[in-house]
Amino acid sequence: RLRLHDGKLIKDRRFHLRTYPNCFVAKELTDWLIDHKEAPDRETGIRLMQKLMDHYIIHHVCDEHSDYKDAKLLYRFRKDDGTFPLSKDVKVFMRGQSLYEKLVSVAESILKVREENAVKYQRTFLGSEMVDWLIQEGEVENRQEAVELGRALLEHGIIQHVSNRHHFFDSDILYHFWINFRRRRRLTELLNENSSRALSESPDSPFCLRKLNPDPGNTSFLSVQTNKEIKIVSAVRRSSITSLSGNSNPYFSAAPTLVFPPVAECNPKSVLKRPVTNEELLSPGAPYVKKTLTIVGDAVGWGFVVRGGRPCHIQAVDPGGPAAAAGMKVCQFVFSVNGVYVLHLDYQTISSLIMTGPRTLVMEVMEAIE
């Protein structure tokens, strides 16, 4: 939006004897996206702008079109006409961005490179330092409000404890900004967002993944769980789920055959012995250790099943799949997916993040210490 203002694509425009302030012509914007390498072609440019419309970031100036049309139609950023909806999540994100910019712009910032357990971390601060700073700058009125703000930032994945073992506390515990708000982002990152509608239409979890050409008679896998509760997990091709979502994927360029398996027993009974809360996982001294797994998907996917929510857990792992080879086990809790904090999300949303992300999957999981 700011770049379009600078380039004079956003300006007051006159149409049918009426002046529309701060708007742009859709066709001109599509040209701009291609010229500035924000989109490789017009089709992608249209999809990107439709994403912005779906998220209530832009709209037609008269709200006569719900779709983004590559034509001489006028659209406007809702931020420019005061109609942008500020949800709680958006407000927390914008607050985090504002605090980050304020912190990095001062000479004696509390954000520093620090080392803990022989590992160097960028943009770090002590919990008590942040509380002091928030009060000093008038961002909050007291220490309790500061802790509540810090916890909201952590729960939204904006800050985190450097080793992800603690929630936010007014103490000498080391935290850092997980999001670098000054990293330049590409618009095409929008296309990696989740597609909940596609997932809700799928007959089973998209993580029930198998090889494209399984051995005869071997079209399912067993949950890696050494008790009598083991159940068969039906096979679902990743390509079928991708097709449902309407997204093209360079790894699966061939037109796939849609596979709708019969109603499947997909481990309806949780493998967890008891429910575990986020507070329990993140509390100081909790008996959990965090591990980072790098999983390179095969021709179909990664070979595991995720279930539950807030936090989600690994329900099943294909013994011969990529996830098992990377060290994934049942009962691990999903902490982050490709750098996105997900403890507060349900399994459908996490499914979307993984299915629409890159083939090489980086997951942080927490498992109980034996």
Side-chain angles (χ1 to χ4, degrees):
R1 169 177 159 269
L2 296 176
R3 291 168 67 195
L4 294 176
H5 273 288
D6 291 341
K8 306 301 181 187
L9 263 77
I10 294 179
K11 58 185 178 182
D12 296 353
R13 299 174 186 270
R14 194 167 180 81
F15 183 73
H16 285 179
L17 303 179
R18 180 178 173 182
T19 298
Y20 297 90
N22 294 322
C23 58
F24 59 86
V25 178
K27 190 175 185 303
E28 291 180 5
L29 180 54
T30 310
D31 294 336
W32 184 92
L33 292 173
I34 296 172
D35 292 342
H36 289 76
K37 303 191 185 312
E38 291 288 353
D41 50 51
R42 303 193 80 81
E43 180 184 356
T44 304
I46 294 168
R47 288 174 60 203
L48 287 169
M49 291 301 103
Q50 186 61 50
K51 275 280 188 180
L52 296 187
M53 289 197 73
D54 293 342
H55 286 73
Y56 302 99
I57 293 171
I58 64 173
H59 67 126
H60 181 255
V61 291
C62 297
D63 291 318
E64 292 177 355
H65 301 279
S66 59
D67 295 334
Y68 181 84
K69 301 182 184 299
D70 186 21
K72 291 184 178 180
L73 295 174
L74 299 181
Y75 292 82
R76 182 188 293 131
F77 279 83
R78 292 186 178 275
K79 195 99 181 266
D80 285 330
D81 63 11
T83 61
F84 181 66
L86 291 176
S87 66
K88 180 182 177 182
D89 290 342
V90 171
K91 287 179 179 178
V92 173
F93 185 87
M94 293 178 69
R95 185 76 182 277
Q97 183 177 24
S98 172
L99 293 174
Y100 181 85
E101 291 295 340
K102 199 170 180 179
L103 282 163
V104 299
S105 62
V106 297
E108 297 296 326
S109 175
I110 63 172
L111 296 187
K112 298 175 183 176
V113 177
R114 290 182 173 93
E115 186 174 307
E116 184 170 289
N117 296 329
V119 178
K120 284 188 176 180
Y121 297 95
Q122 305 288 330
R123 306 182 295 277
T124 69
F125 56 90
L126 299 177
S128 55
E129 283 182 337
M130 177 62 81
V131 171
D132 292 339
W133 181 84
L134 289 170
I135 295 173
Q136 176 187 327
E137 295 296 316
E139 294 285 346
V140 296
E141 292 187 1
N142 52 55
R143 302 190 81 81
Q144 181 180 347
E145 280 189 21
V147 170
E148 290 173 357
L149 174 56
R151 292 195 162 218
L153 295 175
L154 187 144
E155 289 166 3
H156 283 76
I158 296 170
I159 66 172
Q160 66 176 201
H161 177 244
V162 290
S163 58
N164 301 315
R165 296 181 68 87
H166 303 293
H167 212 312
F168 184 80
F169 293 99
D170 181 7
S171 66
D172 291 339
I173 297 177
L174 191 61
Y175 302 88
H176 65 159
F177 271 86
W178 179 249
I179 296 179
N180 179 2
F181 286 99
R182 291 198 169 183
R183 178 180 74 84
R184 181 176 175 182
R185 290 164 173 78
R186 309 297 300 185
L187 269 178
T188 48
E189 292 180 34
L190 288 171
L191 299 182
N192 290 330
E193 287 193 347
N194 57 11
S195 176
S196 57
R197 185 173 64 86
L199 285 170
S200 65
E201 291 171 355
S202 65
D204 201 2
S205 166
F207 291 151
C208 300
L209 304 173
R210 295 296 300 150
K211 304 283 191 247
L212 201 56
N213 299 304
D215 297 332
N218 181 23
T219 59
S220 61
F221 70 87
L222 294 179
S223 165
V224 185
Q225 181 74 0
T226 56
N227 62 31
K228 62 183 180 181
E229 294 298 336
I230 291 178
K231 291 186 174 70
I232 299 297
V233 181
S234 294
V236 180
R237 292 185 181 179
R238 179 179 188 229
S239 52
S240 69
I241 304 299
T242 306
S243 302
L244 283 171
S245 67
N247 295 329
S248 60
N249 190 311
Y251 299 112
F252 309 102
S253 55
T257 302
L258 290 182
V259 178
F260 292 92
V263 176
E265 272 193 298
C266 199
N267 290 309
K269 184 174 181 180
S270 173
V271 296
L272 299 179
K273 295 179 180 178
R274 63 177 181 83
V276 175
T277 65
N278 285 339
E279 289 73 18
E280 181 180 345
L281 281 177
L282 299 173
S283 63
Y288 295 94
V289 62
K290 186 162 72 71
K291 296 183 177 181
T292 301
L293 308 178
T294 301
I295 309 167
V296 181
D298 58 20
V300 178
W302 301 271
F304 66 95
V305 179
V306 66
R307 275 291 184 268
R310 306 176 183 89
C312 289
H313 63 274
I314 303 302
Q315 177 78 3
V317 181
D318 177 0
M328 180 173 284
K329 303 173 184 176
V330 295
C331 296
Q332 291 173 331
F333 296 96
V334 185
F335 183 89
S336 73
V337 173
N338 295 326
V340 178
Y341 174 83
V342 297
L343 278 183
H344 60 296
L345 301 178
D346 56 30
Y347 80 86
Q348 291 97 334
T349 306
I350 293 179
S351 299
S352 299
L353 285 173
I354 297 177
M355 291 296 295
T356 57
R359 187 175 190 176
T360 299
L361 172 64
V362 179
M363 287 181 64
E364 290 179 300
V365 297
M366 299 183 72
E367 69 178 41
I369 298 173
E370 295 294 339

